[in-house]
Amino acid sequence: MEKHIDENKQGESLVLEFKPENTKKLYIESYGCAMNFSDSEIVASILTNQGYNTTQILEEADLVLVNTCSIRDKAEQTVRKRLEKYNAVKRINPKMKVGVLGCMAERLKSQFLEEEKIVDLVVGPDAYKDLPNLLAEVEDGRDAINVILSKDETYGDISPVRLNTNGVSAFVSITRGCDNMCTFCVVPFTRGRERSREPQSIMKEIQELSDKNYKEITLLGQNVDSYLWYGGGLKKDFVNATEMQKATAVDFDQLLEMVAVGFPKMRVRFSTSNPQDMHESVLHVIAKHPNICKHIHLPVQSGSNRILKEMNRLHTREQYMQLIDKIHQIIPECSVTQDLIAGFPTETEADHQDTLSLMDYVKYSFGYMYSYSERPGTLAGRKMEDDVPEATKLRRLQEIVDAQRQHSAIRTQEFVGKTVEVLIEKASKKSENDWSGRNSQSIVVVFPKENYNIGEFVNVKITNCTSGTLIGEAVGWSEMN
């Protein structure tokens, strides 16, 4: 599972550059993970060539699209509430068309057309290139659906339109799909088999961003560490590849090196990693290049070996801890962040205590923590009883959140008195006189604006902190500028 954007918040309506020759208006909202937001940029690129400009005003839209998440039930319920809102608007503007994109579209398929009467089209994550044909069907008065999963679609030939961008940072997708089959996760069923994108198309996209003066990119995938390009096809087919293909294959540490060397003035992040697939070679590449951020998002999901086995996580608690030790040995200044699930089926108090003790061992900088939500279609949903009482889930989740808050405070305190490099991303939410950005460890840093500007790398001396934010004063520009 890739890096998360909080699916509990209001979805972002996305806006791109206005083209005067375009006469139709598109309103698009995205929910869930970073991959969904990246996909919305692909959709916008396709539709801008079909005569659409985007709008932030729902009521004036000719086409409304919601890019959905199925990772937890709460995310789906949020989308259903938005569909109710669209329904109310559509009664006033009956010419408006509504479409569902993304993982919910893939999971629920025709159910949306049958039950959600205001939905005109349903498009899965691998079918966005078919949007012009689907919209033509809708214009002819027919419902339209395409949720066929692809074995090779990566959208590598489409230059995404950057939506609601700060002009500083951008996502670059390098893989799609997932082969890991964790028992709690719908991603393999909604996004299909894992496949990697051709490296030269990745480098071309980053070059386009560099030419537009972007300063940071995040290499994105459900599982970036298993990236493998050898000339096309699914990763499992590598065993049947020719010797020439194997000899010229590019794996993740090689791609990371290519990007770092090719764009030395651009900061590089990546997400998400899977413990079973992260190799020491990647850690050495991170340590070698100053422009690769010293932050690894390393979901563990549980600290209990028994629960990890039930989840089909192909690592043990001990192997995970050894990897953490290796990370800090090779990259001493690296921050590590987590995903954790409270109340997975059959989880006992002893299992829960194993999770808390693992957190004490690692002391994550921050994390994404959830109570278990049964997802239809997953192995856990089909075979395991959701037997942990809701009150117990919520109590355990709160204990995990409390522990993380303590550990975050420890990690931010470590920076007080030090000088860190910060990429200015935006104005601080709390004060118009301050800038906000992140350091290499992906921790938010706030400092007075003075004469600095968005998109600049600034050295900031940290004078204070909260559990989630570093506070300091700029001491000059960084060499990265």
Side-chain angles (χ1 to χ4, degrees), residues 256-306:
L256 195 57
E257 178 107 28
M258 287 171 59
V259 174
V261 172
F263 303 94
K265 292 294 185 180
M266 184 173 280
R267 225 187 219 184
V268 182
R269 301 186 185 274
F270 60 89
S271 186
T272 284
S273 295
N274 189 303
Q276 73 198 46
D277 295 309
M278 173 162 271
H279 302 295
E280 185 174 324
S281 56
V282 171
L283 304 180
H284 287 291
V285 173
I286 297 171
K288 178 180 176 182
H289 297 283
N291 60 325
I292 302 179
C293 289
K294 307 306 185 271
H295 166 232
I296 298 174
H297 186 63
L298 197 64
V300 64
Q301 309 301 357
S302 174
S304 162
N305 278 334
R306 190 183 68 82

Side-chain angles (χ1 to χ4, degrees), residues 1 43 55 59 108 163 167 195 229 296 313 371 401 412 462:
M1 194 187 311
V43 169
T55 177
E59 290 75 10
L108 298 176
L163 298 167
R195 62 271 191 199
W229 174 262
I296 298 174
R313 301 287 288 178
S371 59
V401 170
T412 54
I462 305 304

Side-chain angles (χ1 to χ4, degrees), residues 39 45 109-110 131 159 175 208 287 312 340 364 395-396:
D39 280 359
S45 179
K109 299 181 174 66
S110 58
L131 269 167
S159 294
T175 72
E208 291 172 353
N312 196 35
L340 279 167
Y364 297 100
R395 189 259 301 165
R396 290 175 184 170

